[in-house]
Amino acid sequence: MQSKIATFPSVEATPKSTALLPTAADYSQAEQHFIQLLETEDLDDKLAEQRVSTNEVDGAIAAAMAAAYTGEGGDVQAHRFLQRVLYRINRLKLFWYDDLRHYTNERSLYLRAVRDRIETAWQRWETEQLDTASYQEMNLKQVLSDWVAADVDPLPSADQLFIHEQVGEAGYRRLVAIASLDGLVEASQLSRTLGGVSNEIHAVLTRLLVEEYGAGRLGRKHSSYFTVMLEELGMKTEPEAYFDLVPWEVLAIINHSFLLTERKRYFLRYVGGLLYGELTVPAAFRHYQAAGERLGLSKAAMSYWDLHIKVDELHGRWMMDDVALPLMEQYSNDAWELVFGYDQQRLLSDRAGIAVVQAVRNADQVHDQ
């Protein structure tokens, strides 16, 4: 039986009726096929010899791109499928201490073409959410300073107050499960930016990474503190154990970080985004810490939140004073890109935050039924 996915052969073709859109099951089937391709020995050679087919995957990608990045772009399943495919390609840039054969296609031309195809459409769509021309008309240092002052300790949102005051155990466990995808490999993308010439800015970024990695001591690596929290909750501690629970909006942040750190031309954008991430973590994590304490978790289990509340305040100042501002001086003609990166990270984070809290609320509701 021909898959409905195959009815959408190109990204330019916009679905005319929602009845023709691929279902979640269709995307799941295509993703399983994609995983098989990832694990196929000598994939590019087999493709050249027509010994394997990518028609189902390519058709699904075309359909998903049309549904996600044209019109209102509100097809959640399409976004989810595309971000999961991107993530599965991007994770090959990190080493997971698993079967070496899993990396046989890490330089596959086909996988690179799939990544570039999705990223091009996705990033165009993301950029359209912001008025990029306006950044070039700004007093950049003043704008960035004002944004940092407002974002470092904002008034709590309704969603944050819900986490702080009301989230139940099921919801808290869902929050931790989603956060584990990044929390257990924390700062890995930052490591991709540290090769090259040494200078004061490079030294600050290196110091930031060294602190995240516990100065080479496993027990002090920030991800180890996350593992302690998972263990106390009786949850799985393997990286990616809860991958299927992660909203596409969270995957988009991770994939965005991979893109910016792999493209040195986007270095200023990455620094802007990293600045936003470091300086806003303490305010957000205070609510998570309060929820954990209210639910009776131990001090050790709360150490991940507590550590970041303490150190990321300092990291935020480092990023602003010793990285962002000096880079704005050095790259005066391109400094707007740093502000763009900050603003885009804020947009991505706000969108992901809404999705995570919705997942948390749903978990509590299901538990209470």
Side-chain angles (χ1 to χ4, degrees), residues 8 37 58 85 150 154 200 265 311 321:
F8 300 102
L37 294 174
D58 294 340
V85 167
E200 290 297 330
R265 180 60 183 83
V311 303
D321 297 338

Side-chain angles (χ1 to χ4, degrees), residues 287-337:
H287 303 293
Y288 303 160
Q289 182 187 53
E293 291 175 345
R294 177 171 50 79
L295 292 169
L297 272 71
S298 70
K299 183 176 181 180
M302 291 294 92
S303 60
Y304 180 82
W305 307 131
D306 184 58
L307 176 66
H308 283 79
I309 290 169
K310 292 177 180 177
V311 303
D312 281 2
E313 181 178 348
L314 175 61
H315 292 175
R317 292 200 298 270
W318 288 356
M319 285 299 303
M320 180 63 174
D321 297 338
D322 301 327
V323 178
L325 292 180
L327 282 172
M328 293 182 83
E329 289 286 346
Q330 182 174 350
Y331 295 98
S332 57
N333 292 333
D334 301 304
W336 68 272
E337 295 184 23

Side-chain angles (χ1 to χ4, degrees), residues 30-217:
E31 184 177 349
Q32 291 306 308
H33 186 192
F34 182 71
I35 293 171
Q36 293 174 10
L37 294 174
L38 281 172
E39 297 176 352
T40 298
E41 192 77 23
D42 299 323
L43 173 61
D44 287 349
D45 289 342
K46 287 184 171 64
L47 287 174
E49 297 166 1
Q50 298 185 333
R51 293 164 59 189
V52 296
S53 172
T54 64
N55 289 345
E56 181 180 14
V57 171
D58 294 340
I61 290 172
M65 289 170 65
Y69 305 137
T70 60
E72 296 182 1
D75 191 321
V76 173
Q77 294 301 328
H79 279 290
R80 183 175 184 269
F81 170 71
L82 292 170
Q83 293 301 327
R84 285 168 69 93
V85 167
L86 267 184
Y87 177 85
R88 291 189 184 281
I89 298 173
N90 284 329
R91 71 183 296 280
L92 292 175
K93 299 168 185 174
L94 306 178
F95 189 62
W96 298 81
Y97 289 87
D98 53 356
D99 191 332
L100 296 177
R101 289 174 295 182
H102 290 167
Y103 305 92
T104 185
N105 292 310
E106 63 180 315
R107 302 191 74 180
S108 163
L109 295 177
Y110 171 73
L111 295 183
R112 177 177 178 176
V114 169
R115 182 200 66 199
D116 292 351
R117 179 183 175 195
I118 296 174
E119 279 183 349
T120 298
W122 168 46
Q123 286 294 310
R124 184 184 303 116
W125 179 79
E126 291 284 11
T127 300
E128 289 172 353
Q129 313 304 309
L130 297 168
D131 181 9
T132 55
S134 67
Y135 302 119
Q136 302 182 52
E137 305 300 324
M138 293 177 176
N139 181 332
L140 296 173
K141 288 185 180 179
Q142 186 62 53
V143 166
L144 189 62
S145 296
D146 291 346
W147 285 356
V148 166
D151 291 335
V152 70
D153 191 22
L155 292 174
S157 67
D159 281 345
Q160 289 173 328
L161 290 175
F162 165 76
I163 296 292
H164 192 116
E165 300 170 356
Q166 300 179 47
V167 69
E169 182 179 347
Y172 184 83
R173 290 168 64 89
R174 180 60 55 87
L175 171 68
V176 172
I178 292 171
S180 70
L181 185 65
D182 184 61
L184 292 177
V185 291
E186 190 172 17
S188 290
Q189 288 85 28
L190 173 59
S191 68
R192 312 287 292 181
T193 69
L194 297 182
V197 174
S198 298
N199 52 41
E200 290 297 330
I201 293 170
H202 176 270
V204 174
L205 293 174
T206 302
R207 190 161 71 247
L208 182 63
L209 181 73
V210 168
E211 289 207 358
E212 295 283 355
Y213 276 64
R217 300 176 183 176

